[in-house]
Amino acid sequence: MGNFHCLYLVLLSLCFGFFVNTLSREDSGSDAVTDVYIVTLKQAPAAHQFEEQLRRQGHHQFHNGSSPGRLNRFHKPRNNSRSHPSFRSYISRVHDSLLRRTLRGEKYLKLYSYHYLVNGFAVFVTPEQANKLSRRREVANVVLDFSVRTATTHTPQFLGLPKGAWYQGGGFETAGEGIVIGFIDTGIDPTHPSFAADVSEHSYPVPSHFSGVCEVTREFPSGSCNRKLVGARHFAASAITRGIFNSSQDYASPFDGDGHGTHTASVAAGNHGIPVVVAGHHFGNASGMAPRSHIAVYKALYKSFGGFAADVVAGIDQAAQDGVDIISLSITPNRRPPGIATFFNPIDMALLSAVKAGIFVVQAAGNTGPSPKSMSSFSPWIYTVGAASHDRAYSNSIILGNNVTIPGVGLAPGTDTDKMYTLISAVHALCNDTILANDMYAGECQDSSNFNEELIQGNLLICSYSIRFVLGLSTIKQALETAKNLSAAGVVFYMDPFVIGFQLNPTPLERPGIIIPSPEDSKILLQYYNSSLERNVLTRKIARFGAVATISGGLKANYSITAPKVMYYSARGPDPEDSFLDDADIMKPNLVAPGNMIWAAWSSLGTDSVEFQGERFAMMSGTSMAAPHIAGLAALIKQKFPHFSPAAIASALSTTASPYDKSGGPIMAQRAYANPDVNQSPATPFDMGSGFVKATSALDPGLILDSTYDDYMSFLCGINGSGPVVLNYTGQNCRGYNSTIGGADLNLPSITIARLNQSKTVERTVTNIAGNETYKIGWSAPYGVSVKVTPTRFFIGMGEKQVLTIIFNATMNHSVASFGRIGLVGDQGHKLHIPLSVAVKFSYNTTNS
């Protein structure tokens, strides 16, 4: 199966150029523009048909007296009988027949047949042909394909896993065992020890509910998969049809030529205790959040171009069919989806079907912060994760001869602390005066032949760090090679003044060195250096280099009590409901997790970060790194509560998250790209959602707020004018839902009201999954709003439900969002909170105006 899939893509790429020329020449005229379209049909996909079959056969499990005819929310069966090959073949033939009948004699190319979560296909056609398809009665929807992008250790200790969640479940030796996490990303390096199956005496079990396959290619040979890495495929048909797929760089296989996918997979489920060695230095041992979980890879993103929705949907559809328990997407769309609501796009709607099948879905919020409404993950059934710092940091510094200490970055050893070294600028150590005239970038130290070795030997070489390093035209590694060839004692990089606001992560340096990321601090260094030069009075040539310094080194981690804080790049709410940027009554992000300076596995051929090329581990930052933290923690919850619905897992994570940092103060949010630690203020739910994840508490939440697929459908049907779109995407008629609800009425572990017109009443239903307990309720109201919650105290038995009624009243006219919180405290130690967000308030009726 895997070999056939790979052969198909190879043949597709070989014949594509001929196909495009033929299509344009014979059928569509010289000005025709062909593109990829995603076509969905009205007939239900396999996963939906399976659930209907369960309903007809009466395969319902009841929980505490739930009524017949309704699948129980917590004990929903998974589809262990995967879509039968004969059914897949039948659906594919239906798609082929429709294309032949609609486009008689015309040229087209079908890329995928979706059948499990979505009944449809991706096809390469002209706009005129797409219009013909849209007019067929069997067709529900035709959408133009769009591009997506990636959103880019110590964190288990910071999250309290070794003595908390892991300990409660039997230790890291069993944490997450039996749970399969599917990654839609850039692939994986199967040779990495983080994904080996033989690192423990306790052998990995075979996940019986998983039926995926492992593609075999030259880069991904037989034996690449094992009981840890249980499945691997790649999807690139949409990219190939566009002629942008570079097989030598992107690899037509599950192998990761980027590094991003290897990194995210190991954050979530990498093996425990793998030594992190980079540039010859040891930085401790790495572990995923759920080190015994299984990994399934669905490569749909590539280094050179990102990815496309048609390939992503194919990966999601296959992951669900294979039987993954969790889907992790560290990817976001390149643009906000058009139409009446952001929720209606092929990726989010495929994920809705995944949630219906019992799969928990995690997505990165995006790296487009810190501006409001920069969120790139929209739907309430998707668990959206923002990025926060953790308490470990690496700092380096240089101590000048005038006793001034300048901070910097660089995972590098220091110089001899008992000795001061002479500083020599690269532009003052050239072999001759003509070099700088011929090479204006000689000061970046990229070519050792430019320099006088006798002058530099045993001294600290000063090199400039310009925009060329950011663009990859110059590299730290090459400058270090220059320093090595010249026998320099170390390297000091100063920031070019034209590189404004660039945030530099710690970079591995094999030799003593430091990078000064601040242009202001770089000026201090250069002023000291220039003022210490002694020149010949007559010739003005340098007679003596008087500046001296020593480098402290940056290999040792420092730990801070001010963590976590929301990173400047983490995308922010409020959740945009449509392309007009109207606010949705949905809180995004759902929470924040560690995403800044994360050590994790790296592909041996990874090129996403030049500084870590050839290394087995890399330190990366982004919401891409935060999302897999939650995917791994969700695996721990799924392992403890195997029958939890996706919404129940989301509730456990959200209600137990903390709005406070390690010191007990409010979590801060960085508000600017430049000088982010200076420009910060207390985080709101639009920055951090429910707060920072608390792994151990999430395994014992006490109460759960649950939602079903039907609840999400009622919400979608409640969007003005959505009936036809809902029918197109789901094949279900909104008339089948007797009542519709708004976003604030979904039983989410948060309440967001975009427009409070005088008063609004909402309800939340909690279910007790622990023992008998009495809860007290308190709250803080958002500014400009009065809040009343009833009851304020209740007893709830194991398995019982309790409805909470919350009344909001606007006390003034106010157009700035304000925030509050409802807290539930049980007498058995459970503590939950529900964040409140109210944007625009009107204390009088505005209906007529």
Side-chain angles (χ1 to χ4, degrees):
M1 180 81 177
N3 286 327
F4 174 78
H5 173 76
C6 186
L7 177 62
Y8 165 73
L9 289 176
V10 172
L11 292 175
L12 181 66
S13 62
L14 290 175
C15 73
F16 174 70
F18 171 77
F19 166 78
V20 173
N21 292 334
T22 306
L23 175 63
S24 302
R25 194 169 56 245
E26 295 181 8
D27 298 293
S28 307
S30 58
D31 297 327
V33 178
T34 50
D35 216 323
V36 177
Y37 292 82
I38 301 172
V39 181
T40 52
L41 305 187
K42 294 176 181 177
Q43 182 184 359
H48 293 208
Q49 291 184 6
F50 173 77
E51 182 162 305
E52 288 303 314
Q53 181 183 354
L54 281 179
R55 292 182 185 276
R56 288 195 301 270
Q57 294 176 352
H59 289 181
H60 302 161
Q61 300 179 26
F62 308 122
H63 181 69
N64 295 309
S66 58
S67 59
R70 183 178 180 85
L71 284 172
N72 178 266
R73 294 177 176 182
F74 293 115
H75 295 79
K76 183 175 179 180
R78 287 293 307 275
N79 178 5
N80 289 327
S81 59
R82 301 293 156 218
S83 181
H84 197 275
S86 62
F87 181 77
R88 295 198 299 269
S89 177
Y90 164 73
I91 288 292
S92 183
R93 290 197 303 272
V94 169
H95 298 164
D96 292 338
S97 175
L98 174 62
L99 284 165
R100 283 196 302 269
R101 285 183 282 115
T102 306
L103 308 175
R104 294 178 182 274
E106 299 180 26
K107 299 291 183 182
Y108 61 86
L109 182 63
K110 187 185 76 169
L111 310 182
Y112 296 110
S113 272
Y114 311 126
H115 67 276
Y116 191 72
L117 296 177
V118 180
N119 181 6
F121 52 86
V123 63
F124 191 72
V125 290
T126 65
E128 292 78 9
Q129 291 173 313
N131 187 44
K132 287 182 182 179
L133 287 166
S134 68
R135 294 198 299 267
R136 296 288 303 197
R137 59 181 177 81
E138 306 98 318
V139 172
N141 206 29
V142 178
V143 179
L144 183 66
D145 193 13
F146 56 89
S147 59
V148 297
R149 60 188 171 197
T150 54
T152 312
T153 188
H154 165 72
T155 48
Q157 283 73 24
F158 184 55
L159 295 173
L161 293 177
K163 296 182 180 179
W166 287 352
Y167 177 79
Q168 292 177 10
F172 68 83
E173 295 91 346
T174 59
E177 193 165 274
I179 305 301
V180 181
I181 307 176
F183 296 89
I184 315 293
D185 214 298
T186 64
I188 196 166
D189 182 350
T191 67
H192 201 283
S194 290
F195 314 121
D198 57 358
V199 295
S200 169
E201 295 179 1
H202 177 49
S203 62
Y204 276 95
V206 176
S208 58
H209 65 286
F210 183 77
S211 62
V213 301
C214 193
E215 283 184 24
V216 176
T217 69
R218 183 179 61 183
E219 303 88 11
F220 212 84
S222 178
S224 294
C225 287
N226 50 46
R227 290 189 175 191
K228 174 70 172 180
L229 176 56
V230 293
R233 301 173 67 112
H234 84 290
F235 303 86
S238 182
I240 290 173
T241 58
R242 299 165 189 273
I244 62 174
F245 188 88
N246 183 342
S247 59
S248 63
Q249 179 177 335
D250 297 315
Y251 301 109
S253 79
F255 186 84
D256 183 10
D258 179 278
H260 187 272
T262 299
H263 198 278
T264 56
S266 71
V267 168
N271 285 323
H272 179 269
I274 307 301
V276 178
V277 178
V278 174
H281 310 304
H282 184 248
F283 293 97
N285 296 329
S287 174
M289 300 299 102
R292 292 290 293 184
S293 284
H294 307 276
I295 293 170
V297 170
Y298 303 87
K299 178 179 173 181
L301 284 95
Y302 299 84
K303 168 62 180 174
S304 60
F305 56 84
F308 295 94
D311 296 326
V312 171
V313 171
I316 294 170
D317 193 65
Q318 188 64 55
Q321 179 189 328
D322 290 347
V324 302
D325 300 288
I326 295 163
I327 290 178
S328 179
L329 299 103
S330 288
I331 62 173
T332 56
N334 277 326
R335 59 180 174 85
R336 189 169 287 112
I340 64 170
T342 52
F343 322 116
F344 295 114
N345 67 80
I347 293 177
D348 283 36
M349 296 309 292
L351 293 173
L352 176 59
S353 290
V355 168
K356 184 180 182 181
I359 301 169
F360 181 70
V361 176
V362 187
Q363 185 178 24
N367 296 338
T368 48
S371 59
K373 301 186 185 183
S374 53
M375 186 56 53
S376 298
S377 175
F378 314 106
S379 299
W381 53 87
I382 298 172
Y383 203 75
T384 304
V385 186
S389 64
H390 54 95
D391 64 343
R392 183 198 62 207
Y394 293 91
S395 60
N396 199 343
S397 61
I398 181 170
I399 300 96
L400 306 181
N402 58 1
N403 291 322
V404 172
T405 298
I406 298 177
V409 298
L411 300 170
T415 53
D416 188 339
T417 55
D418 298 327
K419 181 180 178 182
M420 298 295 277
Y421 295 82
T422 301
L423 288 164
I424 297 184
S425 172
V427 295
H428 292 154
L430 298 172
C431 292
N432 57 68
D433 295 335
T434 62
I435 291 176
L436 196 58
N438 297 328
D439 182 4
M440 62 184 297
Y441 303 111
E444 296 175 6
C445 307
Q446 299 297 292
D447 185 355
S448 58
S449 65
N450 289 335
F451 301 101
N452 182 339
E453 182 177 355
E454 291 184 7
L455 197 58
I456 294 172
Q457 185 175 4
N459 297 320
L460 294 177
L461 177 63
I462 300 177
C463 306
S464 66
Y465 188 104
S466 76
I467 192 67
R468 289 168 53 84
F469 285 82
V470 181
L471 299 175
L473 300 175
S474 295
T475 68
I476 296 289
K477 279 194 172 184
Q478 188 55 47
L480 291 174
E481 188 65 24
T482 295
K484 178 182 177 181
N485 293 338
L486 299 173
S487 301
V491 188
V492 180
F493 294 92
Y494 70 89
M495 190 62 66
D496 188 294
F498 294 103
V499 184
I500 300 173
F502 180 67
Q503 301 298 321
L504 193 65
N505 279 335
T507 301
L509 309 175
E510 293 181 354
R511 306 175 63 79
I514 186 173
I515 307 169
I516 302 173
S518 163
E520 290 74 23
D521 287 340
S522 296
K523 287 180 183 177
I524 294 173
L525 168 72
L526 295 177
Q527 287 171 357
Y528 166 67
Y529 172 80
N530 288 323
S531 65
S532 301
L533 292 174
E534 296 181 12
R535 295 182 180 272
N536 183 287
V537 177
L538 297 176
T539 63
R540 302 304 302 163
K541 289 186 177 182
I542 297 173
R544 178 176 173 271
F545 295 92
V548 293
T550 187
I551 298 171
S552 64
L555 296 178
K556 187 176 179 180
N558 304 309
Y559 297 90
S560 166
I561 63 170
T562 59
K565 64 178 66 176
V566 182
M567 300 308 298
Y568 63 91
Y569 51 76
S570 187
R572 310 298 168 90
D575 187 15
E577 183 173 85
D578 52 40
S579 55
F580 299 105
L581 295 183
D582 292 328
D583 296 344
D585 288 341
I586 305 294
M587 186 186 74
K588 292 290 179 179
N590 292 88
L591 53 56
V592 292
N596 199 58
M597 296 196 299
I598 304 299
W599 280 119
W602 196 245
S603 174
S604 56
L605 297 179
T607 57
D608 188 40
S609 176
V610 175
E611 274 66 45
F612 291 98
Q613 256 183 297
E615 302 286 356
R616 299 313 307 268
F617 283 87
M619 179 182 286
M620 304 293 287
S621 297
T623 56
S624 282
M625 286 67 242
H629 276 87
I630 298 304
L633 297 178
L636 302 182
I637 298 173
K638 184 76 174 177
Q639 181 187 29
K640 182 176 180 179
F641 301 102
H643 300 297
F644 260 22
S645 70
I649 297 174
S651 175
L653 289 162
S654 291
T655 59
T656 58
S658 174
Y660 305 109
D661 66 16
K662 278 183 63 178
S663 67
I667 291 176
M668 303 298 282
Q670 297 177 337
R671 302 291 179 192
Y673 183 82
N675 301 314
D677 283 329
V678 176
N679 298 288
Q680 59 183 22
S681 61
T684 74
F686 289 164
D687 303 311
M688 65 176 178
S690 294
F692 187 80
V693 64
K694 293 181 68 177
T696 304
S697 298
L699 286 172
D700 184 22
L703 303 176
I704 286 294
L705 293 89
D706 198 28
S707 298
T708 67
Y709 173 80
D710 286 344
D711 295 330
Y712 298 132
M713 286 295 293
S714 295
F715 158 69
L716 293 174
C717 288
I719 298 172
N720 188 31
S722 67
V725 186
V726 171
L727 180 64
N728 288 347
Y729 270 112
T730 68
Q732 294 178 254
N733 198 313
C734 282
R735 287 195 294 268
Y737 292 86
N738 296 328
S739 61
T740 60
I741 58 175
D745 299 311
L746 280 168
N747 198 43
L748 301 175
S750 62
I751 301 174
T752 301
I753 302 174
R755 184 183 177 94
L756 178 60
N757 195 350
Q758 289 190 297
S759 179
K760 184 174 181 62
T761 300
V762 300
E763 291 183 345
R764 290 295 184 268
T765 300
V766 296
T767 304
N768 187 9
I769 63 164
N772 298 348
E773 196 161 2
T774 298
Y775 282 87
K776 292 181 180 179
I777 300 180
W779 61 88
S780 62
Y783 178 76
V785 180
S786 68
V787 174
K788 182 179 181 180
V789 184
T790 55
T792 57
R793 178 188 176 96
F794 63 90
F795 170 83
I796 186 168
M798 181 184 297
E800 293 181 351
K801 298 180 185 295
Q802 173 68 49
V803 176
L804 309 179
T805 302
I806 306 101
I807 302 173
F808 296 82
N809 283 295
T811 59
M812 62 173 66
N813 299 327
H814 197 245
S815 60
V816 178
S818 53
F819 309 95
R821 194 170 299 273
I822 297 173
L824 294 86
V825 180
D827 61 5
Q828 299 301 309
H830 293 107
K831 295 180 181 180
L832 300 85
H833 71 263
I834 299 173
L836 311 176
S837 308
V838 182
V840 181
K841 307 105 182 164
F842 297 99
S843 61
Y844 58 87
N845 195 320
T846 62
T847 304
N848 293 331
S849 61

